[in-house]
Amino acid sequence: LEFDLETYKMASGVAVDDTVVSTWTSIKMNHTLSYFVMKINDGRTAIEVEDSVEQGDYDQFLTHLPENACRYAVFDFKYTLADGGERSKLVFITWCPDTAGIKDKMIYASSKDALKKKLTGLQHEVQATDLDEVSYDSIFDKISAGGTK
């Protein structure tokens, strides 16, 4: 029995495009991007990079999350601790708004875990269905323990 990693697909039948892994490596190792957004293509065969931004703030990032469609995203979240220390943490976000179609929600949910396995070294994950769950303050509190780490 041969096993070819290039053709390995997730439980949902959706593969991870090679550009997703290379973009992840770029943001993780070199911090050359502020964030990147991924989507499942129209044929529902692969997760692809929809957009990647070198210089962008969190408010700009939020504009890439569509009102009625699901997305995956990775944001290089930079913040300052109460003691003045600077931090930067990569946050994986699964965006599935309540207004998205049920088929989209199901395929994004069933593809997420296998995608996360491709994003080696991922430390923080947020699942969101509305903008309150991905607000700057909400993310800050989740990953920094209220500004203490």
Side-chain angles (χ1 to χ4, degrees):
L1 179 70
E2 286 189 33
F3 183 75
D4 181 4
L5 282 176
E6 296 304 311
T7 59
Y8 173 75
K9 293 187 178 183
M10 300 178 192
S12 63
V14 177
V16 178
D17 191 85
D18 290 341
T19 59
V20 170
V21 177
S22 62
T23 304
W24 164 252
T25 302
S26 178
I27 197 171
K28 181 176 104 175
M29 302 303 287
N30 305 321
H31 294 276
T32 54
L33 300 172
S34 292
Y35 58 89
F36 70 101
V37 180
M38 298 158 279
K39 73 177 214 168
I40 296 176
N41 66 8
D42 293 338
R44 294 191 172 146
T45 57
I47 297 172
E48 302 172 340
V49 174
E50 180 179 46
D51 201 3
S52 59
V53 175
E54 290 182 16
Q55 298 290 324
D57 63 22
Y58 198 72
D59 288 335
Q60 179 185 357
F61 162 70
L62 292 177
T63 67
H64 289 270
L65 302 179
E67 186 178 338
N68 298 314
C70 300
R71 293 293 186 270
Y72 301 115
V74 174
F75 189 88
D76 191 358
F77 197 88
K78 295 175 172 58
Y79 61 95
T80 304
L81 296 174
D83 66 7
E86 299 287 325
R87 296 287 186 272
S88 174
K89 295 185 180 178
L90 297 175
V91 180
F92 174 75
I93 297 169
T94 303
W95 171 252
C96 283
D98 291 333
T99 54
I102 189 69
K103 285 184 181 179
D104 279 347
K105 290 180 191 178
M106 289 174 63
I107 199 163
Y108 273 80
S110 62
S111 302
K112 180 183 74 167
D113 286 341
L115 170 61
K116 285 174 31 185
K117 288 179 184 174
K118 296 274 189 179
L119 306 180
T120 56
L122 185 64
Q123 296 176 331
H124 298 282
E125 176 186 356
V126 173
Q127 296 181 54
T129 59
D130 63 46
L131 289 175
D132 287 342
E133 294 173 329
V134 287
S135 70
Y136 182 91
D137 291 339
S138 176
I139 303 293
F140 175 78
D141 287 343
K142 285 179 186 174
I143 67 170
S144 72
T148 60
K149 63 179 181 177

